[in-house]
């Protein structure tokens, strides 16, 4: 009797593991911003920043903005300072989610900001754009 229960348990555990392995790639393939699914993106201003830094060509499309916020993570001001390069070039606009309307700012070197209509602010950063701290060049 014990052996049959153990065998059923192992078979059940194997089934759970298979379901978890199959659903993991699906879950990670669905990109979503820190504020949920983005419904609509509007770029209001782009190419903002000092002329000397050549910001005029920084013109992200609505698709670029959506992709940036979908892969970004919420970061603290300290993390923004310590782990990301400061991008002088900016773009601004609005977006909507199930949680309401937001204004956004995106910088050319991988950081940004989301602000809700109630003035909640989220600093975000694209993890693929982390600064290579401690690397000798």
């Amino acid at each position: 009797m014990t052996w049959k229960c153990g065998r059923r348990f192992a078979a059940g555990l194997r089934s759970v593991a298979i379901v978890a392995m199959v659903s993991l790639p699906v879950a990670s393939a669905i990109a979503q911003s820190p504020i949920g699914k983005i419904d609509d993106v509007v770029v209001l201003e782009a190419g903002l920043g000092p002329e000397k830094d050549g910001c005029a060509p920084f013109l992200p499309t609505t698709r670029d903005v959506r992709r940036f916020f979908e892969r970004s993570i919420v970061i603290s001001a300290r993390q923004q300072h310590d782990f990301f390069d400061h991008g002088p070039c900016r773009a601004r606009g609005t977006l909507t989610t199930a949680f309401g309307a937001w204004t956004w700012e995106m910088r050319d070197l991988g950081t940004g900001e989301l602000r809700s209509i109630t003035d909640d602010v989220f600093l975000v950063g694209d993890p693929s754009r982390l600064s290579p701290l401690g690397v000798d060049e």
Side-chain angles (χ1 to χ4, degrees):
M1 190 79 149
T2 308
W3 183 76
K4 285 184 180 179
C5 289
R7 206 162 112 192
R8 276 192 227 133
F9 177 76
L13 191 56
R14 229 180 335 222
S15 297
V16 170
I18 290 170
V19 169
M21 287 189 308
V22 169
S23 62
L24 185 61
V26 173
S28 62
I30 300 170
Q32 199 166 90
S33 77
I35 54 171
K37 181 182 172 294
I38 297 171
D39 296 320
D40 188 37
V41 176
V42 176
V43 178
L44 298 174
E45 300 176 282
L48 304 171
E51 191 175 316
K52 67 179 178 66
D53 289 322
C55 292
F58 182 60
L59 305 170
T61 64
T62 57
R63 185 175 178 203
D64 296 331
V65 173
R66 182 183 303 271
R67 251 191 326 226
F68 171 76
F69 285 108
E70 285 175 345
R71 71 176 166 243
S72 292
I73 58 172
V74 175
I75 58 174
S76 68
R78 179 67 180 230
Q79 290 168 323
Q80 183 184 46
H81 176 268
D82 290 351
F83 300 110
F84 291 89
D85 290 329
H86 177 76
C89 306
R90 302 177 317 279
R92 293 185 186 131
T94 61
L95 58 84
T96 58
T97 70
F99 303 108
W102 300 76
T103 59
W104 58 264
E105 181 173 282
M106 179 177 156
R107 292 187 173 270
D108 62 330
L109 294 182
T111 60
E113 177 181 299
L114 290 163
R115 183 179 300 269
S116 72
I117 56 172
T118 57
D119 269 348
D120 292 317
V121 178
F122 297 101
L123 298 177
V124 297
D126 179 349
S128 70
R129 304 290 303 269
L130 284 170
S131 176
L133 294 177
V135 177
D136 295 329
E137 292 187 32

